[in-house]
């Protein structure tokens, strides 16, 4: 196994993700030095991380040694920052992918994290993500912490509770207490190489004085030796002591005081060097000490002095190169040597000296250290110009921390920097003030502290003298409003539309169907002359229009779920701007959304398909990977199914889930996961393996706090469970995952959730012969196309099963009552069969077969049933092949050919079994 470790530091709470990243960086070095495996590892890591490897390489420098040359070059450039609430999840996802691709059961990884009681929230979130990752089964995490510092409500305890709630990880606890008399006796006996009966009295004194604390015992015995109270006799060739003297000796109350007394006996130069090292925490890098040694005001050289501390066992030299205290209690004792009244000034002088004597490269490397040291002593700064300089350094540190996904430290740096400013700085240092407040608002947005986002953004907007100064704050405010739209927040549309009006884009306060139709017609007219020249369009240069596209992108994404009436209107406006002013990154999304609109609303499936292809090509032109997931969602979840086989979209959708997670967009990733499940169901994928995938993604939805998508996914999972035979009533969505009576919104509700519940219930009702219920449910879901934005797998199948139910009822109740439904559904299916014959031909043939049976044309019906089953089989829709065979069996049964019917029911039974629809298998067995 590979063994790596990291240690958290109480004095360095703002060193972003230091312990875990240090350990993972060490792991990357081990992998890079493994000559036998490096080829395999490089290939696996490259496949797992792709272009996003550069994001991790910014945190793990040794990862660059593993990446292929072309990715190594990309890793040397700064990755685009992803400052969204889900950016921490992006880092967790990439870290999981790194470990999944390199950890093997034959070569597992053991990760030891020490002093978890001092871990920051970001580190604990990353640890939780690693230990609860089900595919990562070759990782063992060992953590140590002081339970007397971790009580209820502590972030570490909350992390442990979350790990246990998820239930994927075996957690073992080892309670390590102070040593008892038997252990102390054994330790003393072994240390002195004496027989046990001669050391019992000494062991009892040691236990009495130290309480069995291992470090305290070691230092106590060392102090006894230093003072001659524990001595080796050459005459008797054994250790000797006076037990009465030892019992009477007064010692420090704890190990820190004992160590402090020991340190005070060191030479002055060594003592000063140890005080300097202690001010940095448990570890101090040699290059930092080397820079401080350049200060002419300092006496002696810290580097040389600390070598003495190493020889005394107080410190150790570790990889870095760096000096590390042998124990955090020794560091605490050394830090106590700095008088409390002088500590702030001591830190300030170290920060000043380090900044003055560092090279440009060293300044960047030591930025967090400098800022931390100077902020610890900022109250001693009397010159406001120095405060302004420290505020500038705080901004630089915050920007660097943010690129490392350490958003909490970044927000602390920014708050500290803002605290150094005065009112007059809004005039004298305006750009600095704007940058500090804007970045602070963005960091608070990432951390989900929306009230702070509002206060900081509104401060910038109030002080801004031009729209350009306010735009960044407005953008953050709109994003924040969208993120918290479930609560009592302002309507993002109000803010966004106000900004868009200032940018020359006046949008109506409400839109009607005629407004949408007019905008579609207008956009279609523009595209008729441009459609095949989209890729040659010039790049957008108008600054206002580029900003307008950013705001339109935000509200158009929001309108997918809320204010849906605006979605087609906004898509039209984005396309119109792109055609008139040139294209930008957001144009990729514009063409995707508009392709969805004209497929679902205007019925122009060919035009929508061409726009989808243009969007994919345009994305390559702009290297717009941050929009890759949402474009894939639109193209493969909506557009392509109107032309291409449903099966061809399944792999791209699954890949898009990983892209969304790797680029920090779990909202889109989990939405795509929901669409992926729907496409798998519509394509006839085996239900058993699909259910396993559904359950894994459902857990991930909850872990990523994607509760809306999780709720929308529940009807799909319960539908699948019903078919797997895991529900009491196969036609009701009631069982392990949901209860339709509790989940189904009110009758007047027009939500996507209601439409999905009704759709999957209708499907079940028809499959199990409840035709009247199926027709009634379909009628209640008459606006399914609108609620699902024209999504093919929902809209097409809704028409399909509604038509089949109507045909079945028409044979019982008469043609006239169901004529309109039959005619409209069959006409629509004929139209769709022209554009996507692979997906619709067998459906149309089955409708034709049922219609011929209704009309009494038995020969034609027999031919069409056979045709429907054979085309469904040819196109790999096993569930609809089964349905066609079952319907054909019913046809022959009702027309008196029992032998033929039995054969067809047997084939239907086999197809349902291949689909793993066990409840349908049992349902068909009634006929056998």
């Amino acid at each position: 196994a590979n063994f790596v470790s990291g240690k958290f530091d109480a004095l360095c709470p703002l060193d972003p993700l230091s312990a875990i990243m240090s350990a993972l960086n060490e792991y990357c070095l081990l992998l890079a030095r493994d000559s036998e495996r490096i080829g395999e590892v490089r290939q696996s890591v490259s496949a797992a991380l792709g272009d996003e490897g550069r994001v991790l390489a910014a945190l793990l420098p040794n990862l660059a040694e593993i990446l292929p040359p072309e990715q190594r070059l990309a890793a040397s450039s700064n990755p685009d920052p992803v400052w969204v609430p889900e950016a921490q999840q992006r880092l967790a996802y990439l870290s999981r992918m790194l470990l999944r691709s390199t950890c093997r059961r034959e070569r597992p990884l053991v990760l030891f994290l020490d002093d978890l009681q001092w871990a920051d929230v970001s580190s604990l979130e990353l640890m939780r993500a690693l230990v609860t990752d089900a595919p990562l089964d070759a990782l063992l995490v060992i953590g140590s912490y002081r339970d007397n510092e971790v009580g209820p409500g502590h972030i570490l305890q909350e992390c442990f509770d979350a790990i246990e709630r998820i239930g994927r990880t075996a957690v073992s606890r080892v309670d390590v207490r102070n040593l008892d008399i038997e252990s102390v006796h054994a330790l003393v006996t072994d240390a002195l190489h004496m027989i046990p009966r001669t050391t019992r009295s000494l062991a009892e004194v040691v236990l009495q004085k130290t309480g069995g604390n291992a470090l305290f015992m070691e230092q106590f015995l060392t102090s006894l030796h230093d003072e001659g109270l524990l001595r080796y006799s050459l005459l008797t060739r054994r250790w000797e002591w006076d037990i009465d003297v030892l019992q009477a000796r007064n010692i420090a109350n704890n190990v820190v005081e004992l160590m402090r007394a020991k340190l005070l006996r060191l030479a002055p130069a060594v003592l000063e060097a140890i005080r300097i090292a202690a001010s940095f925490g448990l570890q101090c890098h040699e290059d930092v000490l080397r820079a401080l040694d350049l200060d002419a005001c300092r006496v002696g050289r810290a580097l040389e002095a600390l070598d003495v501390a190493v020889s005394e066992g107080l410190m150790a030299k570790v990889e870095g190169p760096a000096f590390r205290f042998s124990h955090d209690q020794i560091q605490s004792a050394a830090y106590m040597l700095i008088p409390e009244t002088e500590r702030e000034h001591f830190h300030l002088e170290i920060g000043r000296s380090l900044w003055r004597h560092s090279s440009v490269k060293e300044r960047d490397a030591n930025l967090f250290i400098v800022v931390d040291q100077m902020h610890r002593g900022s109250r001693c700064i009397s010159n406001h110009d120095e405060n302004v300089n420290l505020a500038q350094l705080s901004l630089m540190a915050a920007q660097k921390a943010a690129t490392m996904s350490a958003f909490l430290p970044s927000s602390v740096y920014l708050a500290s920097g803002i605290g150094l400013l005065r009112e007059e700085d809004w005039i004298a240092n305006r750009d600095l003030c704007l940058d500090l407040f804007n970045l602070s608002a963005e960091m608070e947005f990432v951390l989900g502290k929306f009230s702070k986002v509002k206060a900081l953004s509104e401060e910038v907007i109030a002080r801004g003298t031009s729209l350009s100064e306010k735009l960044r704050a407005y953008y953050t405010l709109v994003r924040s409003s969208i993120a918290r739209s479930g609560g009592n927040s302002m309507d993002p549309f109000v803010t966004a539309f106000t900004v868009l009006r200032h940018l020359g884009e006046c949008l109506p306060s409400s839109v009607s169907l005629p407004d949408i139709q007019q905008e579609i017609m207008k956009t279609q007219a523009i595209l008729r002359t441009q459609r095949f020249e989209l890729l040659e369009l010039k790049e957008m240069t108008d600054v206002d229009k580029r900003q307008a596209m950013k705001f339109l992108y935000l509200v158009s994404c929001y309108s997918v779920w809320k204010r849906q009436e605006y979605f087609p209107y906004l898509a039209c406006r984005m396309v119109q701007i792109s055609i008139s002013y040139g294209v930008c990154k957001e144009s990729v999304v514009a063409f995707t959304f508009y392709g969805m609109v004209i497929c679902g609303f205007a019925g122009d499936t060919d035009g929508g398909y061409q726009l989808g292809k243009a969007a994919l090509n345009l994305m390559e032109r702009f290297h717009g990977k941050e929009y890759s997931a949402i474009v894939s969602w639109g193209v493969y979840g909506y557009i392509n199914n109107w032309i291409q086989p449903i099966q061809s979209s399944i792999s791209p959708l699954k890949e898009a889930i990983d892209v969304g997670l790797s680029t920090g967009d779990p909202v889109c990733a989990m939405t795509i996961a929901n669409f992926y499940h729907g496409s798998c169901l519509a394509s006839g994928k085996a239900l058993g393996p699909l259910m396993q995938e559904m359950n894994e993604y459902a857990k991930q939805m909850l872990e990523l706090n994607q509760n809306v998508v999780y709720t929308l996914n529940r009807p799909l999972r319960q539908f699948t469970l019903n078919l797997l035979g895991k529900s009491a009533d196969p036609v009701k969505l009631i069982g392990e995952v949901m209860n339709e009576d509790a989940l189904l919104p009110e009758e007047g509700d027009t939500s996507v959730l209601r439409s999905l519940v009704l759709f999957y219930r209708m499907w079940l009702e028809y499959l199990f012969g409840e035709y009247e219920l199926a027709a009634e449910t379909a009628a209640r879901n008459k606006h399914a196309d609108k609620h699902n934005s024209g999504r093919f797998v929902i809209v097409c199948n809704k028409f399909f099963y509604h038509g089949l139910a109507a045909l079945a009822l028409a044979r019982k109740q008469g043609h006239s009552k169901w004529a309109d439904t039959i005619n409209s559904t069959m006409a629509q299916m004929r139209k769709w069969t022209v554009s996507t014959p692979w997906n619709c031909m067998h459906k149309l043939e089955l409708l034709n077969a049922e219609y011929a049976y209704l009309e009494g044309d038995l020969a034609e019906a027999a031919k069409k049933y056979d045709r429907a089953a054979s085309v469904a089989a040819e196109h790999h829709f096993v569930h609809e092949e089964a349905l066609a065979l079952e319907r054909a069996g019913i046809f022959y049964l009702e027309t008196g050919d029992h032998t033929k019917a039995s054969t067809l029911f047997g084939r239907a039974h086999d197809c349902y079994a291949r689909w793993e629809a066990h409840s349908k298998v049992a349902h068909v067995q009634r006929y056998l």
Side-chain angles (χ1 to χ4, degrees), residues 456-568:
L456 290 161
S457 299
E458 289 180 346
E459 180 77 11
V460 174
I461 292 167
R463 291 182 179 273
T465 58
S466 65
L467 181 62
S468 61
E469 283 189 344
K470 301 177 183 181
L471 276 175
R472 185 175 170 186
Y474 270 130
Y475 189 75
T476 305
L477 194 59
V478 171
R479 293 170 76 201
S480 176
S481 299
I482 290 173
R484 66 184 302 198
S485 59
N488 297 320
S489 63
M490 67 176 70
D491 186 348
F493 271 73
V494 174
T495 307
F497 281 22
T498 299
V499 176
L500 286 165
R501 187 168 61 252
H502 289 301
L503 292 170
E505 291 297 322
C506 295
L507 299 173
S509 57
S510 63
V511 293
S512 61
L513 183 58
D515 294 331
I516 294 171
Q517 291 170 337
Q518 184 178 349
E519 284 299 310
I520 291 176
M521 290 173 60
K522 179 181 176 182
T523 310
Q524 287 289 77
I526 295 172
L527 280 171
R528 284 192 191 98
T529 58
Q530 295 285 346
R531 180 167 297 160
F532 300 105
E533 301 172 15
L534 292 178
L535 299 180
E536 283 72 47
L537 285 171
K538 63 180 182 180
E539 191 166 339
M540 192 179 295
T541 57
D542 188 300
V543 176
D544 285 352
K545 296 304 176 186
R546 287 180 72 101
Q547 292 294 335
M549 287 291 284
K550 291 180 182 296
F551 282 90
L552 285 167
Y553 165 74
L554 286 181
V555 290
S556 62
C557 289
Y558 177 68
S559 69
V560 171
W561 303 109
K562 298 192 176 182
R563 307 284 291 272
Q564 290 175 311
E565 70 276 11
Y566 270 100
F567 179 73

Side-chain angles (χ1 to χ4, degrees), residues 11 14 279-280 292 298 335 342-358 363 366-397 412-413 416-417 420:
L11 266 186
L14 297 185
S279 69
F280 294 107
L292 291 175
R298 295 191 178 278
Y335 190 65
E342 299 176 12
R343 284 177 192 167
E344 290 186 2
H345 189 264
F346 191 87
H347 283 294
L348 178 61
E349 285 303 315
I350 286 179
R352 285 169 171 170
S353 179
L354 184 56
W355 186 252
R356 282 196 306 267
H357 296 96
S358 296
R363 284 182 173 184
N366 299 331
L367 181 60
F368 294 136
I369 300 173
V370 170
V371 173
D372 178 57
Q373 292 290 320
M374 293 188 71
H375 270 302
R376 289 177 184 273
S378 61
R379 290 197 302 179
C380 299
I381 299 175
S382 56
N383 186 316
H384 185 61
D385 287 342
E386 187 174 7
N387 273 331
V388 171
N389 289 335
L390 180 52
Q392 183 67 55
L393 290 177
S394 301
L395 175 63
M396 293 165 59
V412 174
Y413 288 131
S416 300
L420 297 169

Side-chain angles (χ1 to χ4, degrees), residues 262-280 284 289 292-293 295 297-309 314-315 325 331 333-339 342-343 345-347 349-350 353:
K262 179 177 179 176
L263 294 172
L264 285 170
R265 294 195 293 269
L266 295 171
V270 178
L271 188 61
E272 179 63 15
I274 283 182
R275 293 202 315 165
I276 291 171
S279 69
F280 294 107
C284 181
L289 296 169
L292 291 175
D293 282 343
D295 193 336
C297 298
R298 295 191 178 278
V299 179
R301 292 175 57 81
L303 269 174
E304 295 176 0
L306 289 183
D307 285 333
V308 177
L314 301 171
M315 302 187 78
F325 284 95
Q331 185 271 334
Y335 190 65
M336 286 176 60
L337 295 175
I338 309 170
E342 299 176 12
R343 284 177 192 167
H345 189 264
F346 191 87
H347 283 294
E349 285 303 315
I350 286 179
S353 179

Side-chain angles (χ1 to χ4, degrees), residues 565-590:
E565 70 276 11
Y566 270 100
F567 179 73
Y569 192 94
L570 294 169
C572 289
R573 282 302 298 139
M574 291 179 76
V575 169
Q576 292 166 18
I577 293 172
S578 299
I579 299 298
S580 301
Y581 294 92
V583 289
C584 59
K585 277 190 176 183
E586 288 71 27
S587 300
V588 175
V589 181

Side-chain angles (χ1 to χ4, degrees), residues 52-120:
E52 297 303 309
R54 64 196 184 112
V55 176
L56 264 190
L59 298 171
L60 310 174
N62 290 331
L63 177 59
E65 299 302 314
I66 300 173
L67 298 174
E70 62 278 7
Q71 291 183 0
R72 197 176 307 165
L73 182 64
S76 63
S77 61
N78 292 324
D80 296 329
V82 180
W83 295 342
V84 294
E86 298 81 11
Q88 176 74 26
Q89 294 160 1
R90 177 200 197 192
L91 175 62
Y93 173 79
L94 293 174
S95 300
R96 290 200 306 267
M97 295 305 291
L98 170 66
L99 296 185
R100 284 185 198 176
S101 64
T102 56
C103 294
R104 299 285 183 271
R105 284 186 171 271
E106 61 273 14
R107 290 295 295 272
L109 172 64
V110 179
L111 171 61
F112 174 58
L113 299 173
D114 196 9
D115 284 323
L116 281 169
Q117 73 275 4
W118 294 327
D120 57 282

Side-chain angles (χ1 to χ4, degrees), residues 107-163:
R107 290 295 295 272
L109 172 64
V110 179
L111 171 61
F112 174 58
L113 299 173
D114 196 9
D115 284 323
L116 281 169
Q117 73 275 4
W118 294 327
D120 57 282
V121 174
S122 298
S123 294
L124 292 177
E125 282 296 307
L126 180 54
M127 181 185 76
R128 181 190 61 78
L130 294 177
V131 301
T132 58
D133 186 34
L136 190 53
D137 58 357
L139 170 68
L140 172 65
V141 176
I142 303 173
S144 68
Y145 66 97
R146 296 173 186 165
D147 58 3
N148 63 315
E149 296 184 29
V150 177
H154 191 282
I155 57 173
L156 179 59
Q157 187 58 53
E158 291 176 354
C159 178
F160 290 155
D161 293 342
I163 290 171

